[in-house]
Structures are given as C-alpha cells and as structure tokens.
C-alpha cells in the first residue's frame, strides 16, 4: 500500500497544485437552499462573510494577507462545523486610483484624457481592467482563500450598477439627495472633490502674512486708518468680500458700519460683525473669503455676502482674479506678496506652522474651494445606523463591533456626521443619473435614461457629468451582491439565505469610509425588503452584518508601521515563496488576538516552517508503519477514520492519554475561535502536535508497533488504529490554519481514495460530551515527569548519551502501580536499565525531587560532593524565598479578603509543595558525606 508522499516537504510544489484544484473543482461554491433541487450543501446555519473588496488596481500586501488569513480560518472552521458557509469575493472600481493610473499610462503615450474624450477614456479604463485588473484576486487564489469564485463581483458590473442607480433615484425621490454650492476639499491634480476622509494632514513650516486694508471715509476715500488681517494663503484675498470683527471688540467700535478697500483689487468691502470671530487671536479682524474657506462660507451665508471663486479646477487664478488671472496659485501668491510689499501694505511676515491637507491619492495640497456638488441628507440614515449599534431596551445590539471599544468610536463619529458629498468630478465611475434641462433648468432623475425633460418636455437635456463617490457603490454591496433591488418572490433565495451577512472582518482604517456607509445604506434599503414570510423587516434584520471584527495592524519586527519610505515592507508573496503559505498563515494566526498589533517576525515564520516539516516527517513515519503492518496483514479500516477516536479504560496509557489530549485540544481550539483568539487556537494546536503527539506519543507508540511473527497482533492493531485515528483528526484540527500541507497528507493517508474531495469538506473535531479521561492525563503526567527528571539528572551528572543506567525511585504505592505498569516507557524514553522502587534514596546519590517522587540515577562516576552541595544550597535558598513570599501573601488580610477563592487555594497548595521540596533538599544536604 504505497502512500505517496515525497521525502522532503516542499511547500511550493504542493501549494500550487492544491490552490488550483480548489478553484477548478469549485469546492467552495455555495448556493441558497433550494426547494426544488435536492440540496447537497450542509443544512446548518448560514455563515456569510463579504470580502472587503480590494481596489482593482491593488496588489496584495501583508495587511490583506492577514485579513484574508483571519477570514479564511473562520470560514474553513465554520464550513467544517457543518454551516452553510459563503465567502463572497470581488474588487472595487476605485474611481480616483484607477483613473489616475490609466491617465498616467496615456500621458506616457503622449495623449491626454481630454483629447481622448469621455467615452474613449472610459473604454480605455475597461481595457486596462480586462488586462491587469484584479491581480490581487489571482494572488488570493494562489494563497488558497476559500471564497466562492462563482460569485466574484466588480463594483461596475451591470447588476451592481443597477443597484447604484436605484439607490440614487430612491434617495432623490425621498428628498434625501440635493445639489448645492459648498466648500469641498478640492484636489487640483485629480480635479475632483474628495471626502474629508481622503484628506491627510501633516505639518508644514509656512508663513503668516499680515496685510493692511484701508478704512474708507464717507466719500469712499482712504481715511488714513487701516485694519490688519493675517492669512496663510494670501492669494485667496482676491476673493475677499468682507472683513469680520467681534461686535464687542473695543478696538474697533468706531469702525462699525465702515467700509474697507481691498488691496490689489480696488474693491470696496464691508466690515461685518460676527461673534464667531475671536478677539484674542491675532488682530481680532479676519478677512472673509466664502468661496475658499468653510468657516468663511458659513459666515458669508449668515451675512448674505456674495461668494467670489477666484480659482479654476486646476488651482490657477481665474478671470475673477484680475491682474493675476492665469497664474498658478503659488505663483500668484509670490506676486501678490511682492505687490503688497511694493505698495507698503504688507504689515509683517511671521513664521507659522500649518496643518496642511493633502490628497490621499496623489499628495497634492488640497484647496478648499466652492463648487456645486451632490449631497445625501444623511441624518435620517445615520439615525438608523446609530440605532443598529446602540443596545435596545432589552440590551440587544443588532450589530456588535469587536473589540467593543470601537463601538464608541463609531457612535461618536456617527453622532457628528455631516451630509455626505457623493459627487466626484471624474470620468471613471457610476455617472450620476440626473439630466439637466436647458429650457426650464430643472433636473430629471429617472430609473431609465430619458429623452425629454420630465418637467417641461424639452429634449434639450444633458446628463450630469459627475460620477458617484466610490463608497456609494461599495456601501451598497451587502444588499446588491444578493440581488437587491430586484428581490421578487421568485428571485430572493440568495437574499433570504445570506442577508444579513454574519460577519465583517476588516481594518480600523475603513470603519468610517466603508463600514459606517454599509450600515447606513444597508439598514435604509434592506428595511424595505419584506421578510420571506411577508412580514415587514425589523432593524435587526435590515443590518448588513451581525458582527464586525476589527483586526489589528501588521507591523515590522520592531513594531514600526510598514512603509515604503522606511523600506521595512514585508512582501507577503516573497515570504510565501520562502517559507510556504501555511507557515506564513500560521505565523499570523499565532500572533493574532483582538486589539493587539502584530510585530511580524520572519524568525517565527521559519519556526512554523519547521513545524510543518515536523508534521510531514510524522506522516512519513506513520505511513512507513502502516505499510509494514500491511505486509503482515494488519490494516486500519478507513471507516474508523473521520470522527473523534475513543479508547476503552483498559487501553494502554499512552492511547488513553493522547485521545484525552486530542479531545481537550479540540475543546480549547473551538472555544478560542468562538472568541477570535486565533493566537490561543494556533498555539494550542502547536503544543498538541509538536509536543504531545510528535515528542511523546510517537516515541511511545514505537514500543507497541511490533511486526515480528511472535508479536501480539491485537496490540499492534489497536496501537496502529489509534495512531492513525489521532493523526487524521489532528490534521483536520490544523486544516483551517494550514490548509495546504493538511490537504496533501490527508489525501496520501487515504491513499488516493479519500472519503471527500477535500479535507476542507470533512468535519471539524469536537470534544466529546463525556468528560475527558482525567486519570489518563494525571497518570501520563507522572510518567512524563519521571522521564524528564531522569533525563535532567543524566545530563547533570554527565551520563554518556548511549549509556543505560539503573534508577532509584521513591513514590507512594498508587504512583508505583502506574509507573510499574508502564515501566517500559520509562526504560526506553529515559534510557533506564533497571527501575528500582525504594523507600528512601540511598545517601550520597545525586537526586531530583518533585512533590510526588524522588529519583536518583545510579552511575559509576562518583558524585561531586562539592557541586552537589552548591546545587542543593542554591535550591534551598530559592525554596525559602518562595515560601516567605507565599506566607507573606497568605498573611495579608487585605489580599485574602479580595482574592478569589481559587487563587487562595492555589497559593496554599503552592506553599505546601514548596515546603515539601525545601524539606527534601535540606535532608539531602544533611545526607551528603562530610568533608
Ligand atoms: Zn489628487
Ligand atoms: Zn425642462
């Protein structure tokens, strides 16, 4: 019976193969339960995750790999628990990023976007997408993410675009979409408005220019007096329409009602009184430029001032800027400062540190600029989104955010939300479905493209040129990927089966961008979809997901943020090439606990590569024995595999013990995954596989696998069966964490005739309801303890590696019975030639003591009395110190009053044990021959 496993573990070879197999076999496709077609899928509860869609322009970075590993572990685990699991992948069209990228490409060809025209350019972007888009999903395929590739979406797909159209039209009908002039963050490079969230601020050393504005007399002549205002952006003064002062500012009481002359523009502007102005700041007088500053805009509205926009979309001064028209904003600044100086109007220049906003995409300095934009009146949507996260009267939350501290962050943001500017001046994206009429100047917002104005019937209509903010479409994904808005009686199986989704795994950085918007749009639109039985849908069933898990950040080994400029970026693809996907996944899992950033350390990945190797070698050892057993007619029945092994009370100790350990491990791993403690789960499996299984169990089971003709066939058969059963279950336990190596070995174990197409489709090990065999754990711990102490002693007294020695052991009768029964384990694993039970260790022997036994190794070489005395003296000092600390704590009334009973009990037990060890060490010291 050949078990086909190459001699050495080569992750690349096996991973490429299985990654392709999983996709081509469509193993992770999931459908809604059908009422007509017999269903092959597990009938458990739905467990659905929507992949945060990476940008179509993106490449996989460590943050993605971490997010995908966490999601995939949960998805594979739940799938193996029998749930109807669905993980939906897709990509985002990423308006700004994609347009920028394609624009750069055509500029390199000597063309321009404007030259190509809108249609040509958009076609070019589609072409780019067909060739290069979504490389990141290809990387996900290779890394084995168990998503349903049949459901892959792109936010510009036809059916998703239909959802965007319907959402816009419906919000417009509901009076929640309006168009208005507003100060937006304008990127002169991207030539579009960008959201507050897309502006990154950093500090720059700049200047504060102080400028004198002349006060005019009643006849419009300079009165000789002036007011000084200060600005960090002198070029905006071209658009000044007033100077504001505080109404109670005593310095300026005599100027109320007066006018000023705006320098360089020779424009008369009023002095206005506004309590918003701070008397303490600067001169207490501020220039008012409504078209170029949000505060000034609000002030201008209060005082019915005009707005003069002096800049065009590219950041150049426009015709409103008089002599400065045509200059770039920074050239204009230079010239204006020079002109002011020449005219003696510059009162001063001060150094000033500016907190300047930059476009997140292209890093250009953002210009606050007045423009006409489309907005969503957000409050009604935000109200629902707040209610979804706040506990209701019964204390239930429709959406739980883990870790919980993010709920507060979310609610604070949602409580201060502003109307959402949803228009972008781009060509790539969902074009706003609104038509402007040249005849009556009204707007038509229809479900189907119109030919005439809905208000006056004129055919002089043109479609709005703006597109929608990318997050408008991605915010709709939870409803749109399952068929909204076309949820009909015949066409709602997906929506019923998978909405609301179960969980969203994502990073903090898109909590507001995306998570908050999905909650607002999901609650708003899904709320209109009746339940399968026709009832209206409550908020708790309108939410896009029931839970949000905010994962940590992956940092470098020194806990520094990875960044290209620092050069400390770890490329996941490179590291996978080096160590294999399984080892990288396991590294990430073993460090992932909620709320803790990961310091990614290659040394750990190397360690988990060794772990994979250890499992590989264990498999080869096991296969070798299975094959040898087959030669003498002993086989393991494949039908005995696939569940959780059990053994009788009369089975050998190591069998009872490893089965008990397996159950305990399965219990802990399941519990840890329930609580998103990937780290605990991974470390528990690691301890079991490497420590219990490989280091102990395999060493012991060798003693039972006797293929000689004279051997006890039943014993060998039983030992082999338990060995294979435990190993097979352990593979399943590990499978969500290391899907590739477990798949490879699992198929080899079944020798090409597996009971399922993949280990991923088998059942996840669950701890038995009945209690774990506690006696087996305790007995094994005694035997292991003895072996460990003997090994330690041998090292200390310098016993040669190969030599076997007699030992003396003192322990109580019950312990003696246990050790006596399995003395062969002690003899083999601790190289003992003879095991003698004694009532007291003979004087002069080097010994180790534990609370349950004393042991000495008999070795020819005489004991180095001086060294032994030194060692015991050190031990005694250590025990005395420990004892004093325990006594101090147990004598502390305050501590006893507060500490839980279990802690006090533990401390008492520890005190008793330490006292025993102290006494033993003192006796041993006294027994040493005197000098
Ligand atoms: Zn930009
Ligand atoms: Zn009209």
């Amino acid at each position: 019976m050949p078990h086909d496993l190459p001699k050495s573990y080569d992750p690349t070879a096996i991973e490429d193969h299985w990654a392709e197999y999983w996709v081509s076999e469509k193993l992770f496709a999931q459908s809604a339960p059908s009422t007509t077609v017999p269903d092959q899928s597990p009938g458990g509860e739905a467990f659905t995750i929507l992949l945060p869609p990476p940008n179509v322009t993106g490449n996989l970075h460590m943050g993605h790999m971490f997010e995908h590993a966490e999601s995939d572990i949960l998805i594979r685990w739940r799938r193996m628990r029998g749930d109807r699991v669905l993980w939906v992948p897709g990509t985002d069209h990423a308006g700004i990023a994609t347009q920028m990228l394609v624009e750069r490409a055509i500029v390199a060809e000597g063309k321009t976007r404007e030259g190509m025209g809108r249609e040509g350019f958009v076609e070019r972007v589609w072409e780019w997408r067909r060739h290069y888009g979504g490389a990141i999903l290809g990387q996900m395929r290779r890394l084995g993410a168990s998503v349903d590739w049949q459901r892959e979406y792109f936010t510009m797909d036809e059916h998703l675009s239909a959802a965007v159209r319907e959402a816009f039209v419906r919000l417009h009908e509901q009076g929640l979409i309006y168009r208005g002039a507003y100060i937006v963050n304008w990127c002169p490079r991207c030539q579009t408005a960008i959201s507050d969230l897309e502006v990154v601020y950093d500090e720059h050393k700049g200047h504060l220019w102080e400028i004198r504005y002349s006060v005019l007399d009643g006849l419009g002549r300079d009165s000789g007096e002036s007011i000084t205002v200060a600005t960090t952006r002198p070029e905006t003064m071209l658009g000044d329409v007033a100077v504001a002062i505080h109404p109670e500012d005593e310095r300026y009481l005599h100027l109320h009602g007066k006018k000023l002359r705006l320098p360089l523009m020779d424009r008369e502007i009023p002095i206005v009184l506004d309590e918003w102005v701070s008397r303490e700041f600067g001169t207490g007088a501020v220039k008012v430029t409504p078209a170029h500053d949000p505060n000034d805009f609000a002030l201008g509205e209060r005082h019915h001032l005009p707005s003069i926009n002096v800049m065009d979309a590219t950041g150049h001064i426009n015709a409103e800027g008089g002599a400065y028209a045509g200059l770039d904003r920074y050239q204009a600044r230079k010239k204006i400062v020079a002109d002011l100086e020449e005219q003696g109007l510059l009162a001063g220049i001060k150094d000033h540190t500016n907190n300047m906003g930059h476009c997140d995409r292209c890093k250009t300095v953002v210009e606050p600029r007045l423009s006409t934009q489309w907005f969503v009146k957000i409050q009604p949507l935000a109200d629902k989104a707040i209610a979804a996260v706040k506990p209701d009267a019964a204390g239930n939350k429709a959406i739980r955010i883990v870790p919980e501290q993010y709920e507060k962050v979310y609610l604070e943001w949602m409580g201060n939300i502003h109307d959402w500017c949803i228009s972008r001046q781009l060509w790539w994206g969902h074009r706003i479905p609104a038509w402007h009429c040249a005849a009556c100047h009204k707007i038509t917002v229809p479900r189907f493209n119109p030919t005439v104005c809905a208000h006056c019937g004129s055919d002089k209509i043109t479609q709005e040129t703006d597109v929608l903010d990318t997050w408008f479409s991605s915010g709709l994904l939870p409803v749109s990927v399952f068929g909204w808005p076309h949820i009909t009686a015949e066409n709602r199986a997906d929506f019923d089966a998978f909405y609301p989704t179960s969980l969203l795994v994502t990073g903090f950085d898109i909590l507001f961008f995306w998570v908050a918007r999905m909650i607002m749009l999901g609650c708003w639109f899904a709320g209109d979809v009746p339940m399968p039985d026709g009832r209206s849908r409550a908020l708790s069933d309108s939410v896009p997901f029931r839970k949000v898990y905010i994962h940590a950040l992956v940092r470098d080994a020194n806990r520094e943020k990875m960044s290209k400029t620092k050069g400390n970026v770890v490329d996941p693809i490179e590291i996978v090439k080096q160590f294999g996907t399984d080892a990288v996944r396991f590294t990430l899992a073993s460090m992932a606990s909620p709320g803790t950033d990961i310091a990614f350390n290659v040394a750990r990945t190397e360690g988990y590569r060794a772990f994979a190797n250890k499992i590989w070698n264990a498999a080869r050892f096991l296969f070798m024995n299975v094959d040898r057993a087959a030669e003498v007619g002993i086989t393991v029945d494949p039908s005995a595999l696939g569940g959780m092994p059990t053994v009788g009370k009369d089975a050998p100790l190591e069998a009872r013990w490893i089965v008990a350990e397996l159950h305990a491990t399965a219990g802990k791993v399941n519990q840890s995954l329930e609580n998103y403690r990937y780290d605990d789960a991974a470390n528990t499996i690691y301890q079991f596989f490497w420590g219990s299984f490989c280091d102990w169990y395999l060493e012991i089971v060798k003693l039972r696998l006797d293929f000689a003709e004279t051997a006890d066939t039943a014993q060998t058969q039983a030992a082999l069966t338990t060995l294979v059963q435990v190993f097979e279950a352990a593979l399943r336990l590990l499978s969500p964490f290391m899907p590739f190596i477990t798949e490879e070995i699992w198929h080899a174990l079944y020798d090409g005739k597996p009971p399922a197409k993949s280990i991923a489709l088998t059942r996840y090990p669950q701890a038995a309801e009945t209690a774990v065999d506690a006696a087996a754990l305790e007995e094994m711990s005694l035997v292991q303890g003895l072996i460990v102490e003997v090994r330690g002693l041998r090292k200390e007294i310098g016993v040669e590696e190969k030599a076997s020695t007699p030992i003396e052991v003192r322990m109580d009768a019950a312990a003696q019975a246990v050790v006596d029964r399995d003395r062969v384990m002690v003899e083999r694993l601790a190289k003992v030639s003879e095991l003698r039970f004694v009532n007291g260790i003979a004087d002069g022997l080097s010994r180790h003591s534990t609370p349950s036994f004393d042991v000495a190794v008999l070795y020819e070489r005489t004991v180095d009395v001086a060294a032994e005395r030194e060692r015991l003296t050190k031990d005694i000092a250590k025990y005395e110190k420990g004892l004093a600390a325990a006594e101090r704590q147990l004598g502390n009334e305050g501590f006893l009053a507060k500490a839980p009973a279990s802690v006090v009990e533990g401390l008492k037990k520890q005190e008793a044990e330490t006292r025993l060890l102290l006494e033993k060490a003192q006796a041993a010291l006294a027994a040493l021959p005197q000098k």
Side-chain angles (χ1 to χ4, degrees), residues 437 439-441 453 455-456 458:
C437 175
C440 73
H441 302 293
C453 170
H455 306 280
C456 73
S458 162

Side-chain angles (χ1 to χ4, degrees), residues 187 190 359 362:
C187 174
C190 300
C359 170
C362 74

